[in-house]
Structures are given as C-alpha cells and as structure tokens.
Amino acid sequence: MDVVIQEAPTILRAFITTLGLFVFSAVGALALGTIVATMAVSPLPPARWFAATYIRLVRNTPLTVVFFFVVFGLPQVQISLPFFTFAVMALTLYTTTFIAEVIRSGVGAVPVGQIEAARSIGMSFSQCLRYVVLPQAARSVVPPMTSVLIALFKNTSVASAFGVFEAMGTMTSLVNAHSSAVLWIMGSIGATYILIAWAMGTTSNWIERRVVVLR
Amino acid sequence: MKLPKVTLAIGTLAASAALVACGGGGGGDNVEDVDANSFPDGSRMAALADAGKIKVGVQTTYPLIGQQTLDGYSGFDIEVAKGIAAQLGISEDGVEFVPVTTPTREAFLQQDKVDIVVAAYTINDEREKVVDFAGPYYEAPSALMVPSGNPDGIEALDDMEGKKLCVAAGSVQEAAIRELNPRVAKSLVFFDSSAKCRDSVLNGSVEASSTEAAILASFVFESDDKLEVVGQEDPYYVGYYGIGVKQEDDPIFCEWVNEALATMQEEGTWTEAFDSTLGTVLGDAPTPPEIGTCGNTLGS
C-alpha cells in the first residue's frame, strides 16, 4: 500500500497519457465513424461498397494486428511519426468501424416515414441526414455508443506494447521495481480503470435520460 | 515399532521412481535413475523426483536464453532447467515449461504454479524479499544496439540523452537506466519485447535499443549485419541470473538447486548448455559465476 501512495504521481501521469489516447481516438473515431456510417447508408453504390469493405476488413482484425500494421508498416513506407500518434491512429481506425455500425443501427431505428416526409418537402439526401435522421439516430444509440467508448478506453492498454508509456506500461514497470507489492500495484491500476469507465457509464446514463426520444 | 510401515513406504516410493524412470524415456536423453529416497522425507526434491515431473517458469521472447518457437522452447535457461531436472531423475518429457512474465514470476512461485523459475531472472534485493534465489548461474551484461555503421555515433548509455532508446517495459535495463541517467530515462520508448525494439531500430523509429548483450548479439546475427552492438566493453549494467524458488521456512530446496548447479559446472553440463545456445553467437563459454548463499545470493 505504501508503494502505491509513493508511486501515486507516476500512476496519475500514466492515466493522463491513457486519457489522452482515449480522447484523441474517441474524437477521431466519432468523426470518421459518422462519415463511414453516412457512406454506408448513402444512395451512391461506390460509397456503400467502400464503407462495407472498410468495416468488414478492420472490424474483423484483432486490434494488436492493426497496431502492428500502423506502428511497423507505416515506417516501411517512410512515414515516421511519434508512437503516441501511431497509437491514436490505430485506435481510431479500429474504433471507427464499431462506431459506424452503431450509428448505422441508429439510422435504421428512425421510422422510414420521417425520411419520406423529409424528402417529400424537398430536402436533399444530406439535408435529410443532417436535420432529420442523424439527430434522432444519435439520441437512440447512447447506450451502445457508451459501450464502444468504454471498450476504446480499455483498448488503449494495447498501446503499452507499442511504444506508449500509459497506465498498462507503467504497471509493468512498477511491478518490476516493486516485486513485493505486485497485487497492490495491479489492484490500484485496475481500480482506476474501473473508476474512470464507471464515470463514463454514469455520464452516459445521465445524457441518455436528457436526450432520449420517446416514441 | 514403526519400522515395517516406513520400509513399506520406502518400497513404494522406490518402485514409483523406477516406473517413472522407465516410462519417462523417449526424449532420447539418458537421465540417470534417481532414488526419491535419497532426498529428505517431505522435501520438494523428494516430491518432484517421486512425481517425475517438474514445472519450470521460463521466458518466451529472449532469443538464446528462453524463447518459444514453433519447435518448442529453446535457450540457455531451458538447458539449465533440463540439467537440474535430470538430477532429480526427471527426463526432458517430464519438464513442463510455463511461460512467465514480469508481473507473474513471483506469484507463480508463491502459488506453486511453477516449481522453479529459470527465466532470465535477475537477482536483486527487492525480489529476494519475496522469493529465494539459487545461483547465480549466468552473468549478463547489458549493451546497446544501433543500425550498422552507427549513424548517431553512440558509444555509451550517456550518448542517448535526448534520443529515443527502446527497452522492454519492466525490464532490468529500464530500472537501471532510471537510476543511472534520469535524462536518458525521459526519452525511453517502451515495447513489450526486445524483438519489437529491434524492429524499431531497423525501421528507424528509435535510435537505439538496449537489453542483455547476448540477446543483442543474436539479433545482430539474424539481421544480416544491418545492426551492431555498442557499449559492450564497458557495460552500464551487469545482472546476475538466479533460479527463483518459493520462499520456504527451510531453504533446503534452494540449497539443493545450488548443489545441482555446482554439479552441472563440475560435470561440464553448464558449458555444454552454454555452447549449444549462447555460445553460438558469443563464442567460448566464460567461467560461470560463483554460486552464492540462498536468501542472500549476491552477498549484499
């Protein structure tokens, strides 16, 4: 226990890196995910094919393999970036597919009459999507979206094996330095993950109550 | 008089030990028959010899030391473990290798998930609080590895200030660098294996990587001379590998492992183990380190 108190600043810094990975990847994946979902439901066949292929390829690839392609593949073609950036890229590419699918399912939940009504008053596809479909879709997918984001938060731990010294890497390092307090260190890092993920779930419940669409 | 009962027990043990010795073959090795009764009653040696099986915690990503490939486990640690098992009359087939990692080594020993840990396990005071070490059985200096031609002119650890140096997270090198040169420690890059550090040196993501000199030598050997080792002559850190055993009230097992190691050194099995693994890139076998006392292995 003393070790945990003594190393608290290190653990805190580690979780700031973890949260950094999470925030950048979440913003990236939400933006890209919305675009990919839009492509998936668009009337243009090439856009639909692209979205379907991307989702099929990346969603079915283990995250570690995605990391390998980004961290060891890109330098092969002379793209050299900081490891933090590589990790955000890998996490974003991976999580985008899940977010796109969640949004697509939300779009499916919008009654078709709404879309027909929007189109019949002269809205274009993009107007219809922007003002009618996506706002309703987003409101209906808060719980599954939270699950995807919590999964992303925990998936940031994979970055520890690819050059980013975040919470998981710090744990391995601390465990090595303090062999007599292994369970304390693991326990406190695990508890911090739970605490943050729990806060995310609670926030999501609150948002859900505020924005839910009653049908 | 308890004599008849004891005699019976001894008979049973001897019979089962003999059975194990007969059934264990097949590995092609000649393990001498060891009588479980030659060990003190109730000792771990007696139990292991009787069972004809031993569980050994090993590394999986240390080339030439402890590595898991499609062909199974190989390396110096593996050969040392087999040499110790042989002195319990346990054949190669009876040795079960269990992969261990930095966070699991101590717990696996304490929970009897493994009987011994032979896993590039560097002896230090912190670890001696929770496990006992037999040995040391190998002296492992650390060095640095750079692309061949040494474009950044790196000769020693201090040359790495402000440059990216890759080490395995939780390795002894990480701990040593944090203590020796905090400025270098600031620009450390962490992967979960030294092989990934090697790949990062090869693709230019980092300037250098560091781990045990022997591992680096094997990477250079495999790399078609795309890499080279520096800082070997004056290593910034020298670790001593010990064999981890469970801390028990009576260190009898740990002491026995020390005797087994001494026997390996005398009989030349230690040198054989070195020659067939580390020796393939490091050349002639060095003099093995002096074996210490259980509980205070390095005499610190």
Side-chain angles (χ1 to χ4, degrees), chain A residues 25 66 70 74 79 81 84-94:
Chain A
S25 313
V66 177
V70 172
L74 293 182
I79 301 173
L81 296 166
F84 184 89
T85 315
F86 274 151
V88 169
M89 283 169 74
L91 288 165
T92 303
L93 283 173
Y94 182 76

Side-chain angles (χ1 to χ4, degrees), chain A residues 3 64 68 71-73 75-76 80-83 86 159-165 169 171-183 186, chain B residues 102-107 111 121 124 126-127 129-130 164 169-172 174-175 178 188-193 196-197 199-200 203-206:
Chain A
V3 169
T64 320
F68 256 108
V71 178
F72 292 112
Q76 291 293 325
S80 201
L81 296 166
F83 288 110
F86 274 151
S160 69
F162 293 90
V164 182
F165 196 58
M171 187 191 84
T172 320
S173 164
L174 288 179
V175 158
N176 182 53
H178 308 282
S179 325
S180 50
V182 172
L183 288 181
M186 289 177 135
Chain B
T102 304
T104 59
R105 285 181 298 212
E106 289 87 13
Q111 297 161 3
Y121 200 3
N124 69 26
E126 183 69 25
R127 290 172 185 167
K129 284 184 199 162
V130 279
K164 277 175 277 180
S171 61
V172 288
E174 180 201 342
R178 282 190 194 284
L188 282 178
V189 171
F190 299 97
F191 279 83
D192 58 347
S193 73
K196 280 191 195 149
C197 280
D199 296 340
S200 301
N203 71 27
S205 307
V206 299

Side-chain angles (χ1 to χ4, degrees), chain A residues 16-195:
Chain A
I16 290 173
T17 310
T18 291
L19 282 173
L21 285 172
F22 167 73
V23 170
F24 284 111
S25 313
V27 170
L30 282 168
L32 281 180
T34 311
I35 294 170
V36 173
T38 309
M39 291 170 92
V41 298
S42 88
L44 293 170
R48 284 206 303 273
W49 293 331
F50 174 82
T53 312
Y54 172 61
I55 291 172
R56 230 166 260 159
L57 275 182
V58 181
R59 189 173 63 158
N60 296 330
T61 308
L63 177 57
T64 320
V65 178
V66 177
F67 261 93
F68 256 108
F69 274 112
V70 172
V71 178
F72 292 112
L74 293 182
Q76 291 293 325
V77 290
Q78 309 304 322
I79 301 173
S80 201
L81 296 166
F83 288 110
F84 184 89
T85 315
F86 274 151
V88 169
M89 283 169 74
L91 288 165
T92 303
L93 283 173
Y94 182 76
T95 313
T96 293
T97 59
F98 292 91
I99 290 194
E101 285 295 86
V102 166
I103 294 178
R104 199 170 64 86
S105 75
V107 170
V110 177
V112 74
Q114 299 250 340
I115 299 161
E116 287 166 355
R119 295 309 288 265
S120 69
I121 61 168
M123 279 189 174
S124 68
F125 169 75
S126 56
Q127 280 175 324
C128 163
L129 208 61
R130 193 169 153 202
Y131 298 111
V132 179
V133 179
L134 283 182
Q136 295 190 66
R139 281 155 193 255
S140 64
V141 296
V142 174
M145 189 66 86
T146 311
S147 294
V148 170
L149 290 177
I150 289 178
L152 165 65
F153 171 64
K154 294 183 293 178
N155 284 343
T156 56
S157 58
V158 176
S160 69
F162 293 90
V164 182
F165 196 58
E166 41 63 80
M168 206 64 189
T170 304
M171 187 191 84
T172 320
S173 164
L174 288 179
V175 158
N176 182 53
H178 308 282
S179 325
S180 50
V182 172
L183 288 181
W184 278 112
I185 294 166
M186 289 177 135
S188 59
I189 301 235
T192 315
Y193 268 110
I194 292 173
L195 219 66

Side-chain angles (χ1 to χ4, degrees), chain B residues 231-242:
Chain B
Q232 245 175 325
E233 295 73 25
D234 184 21
Y236 67 91
Y237 177 77
V238 179
Y240 290 87
Y241 290 177

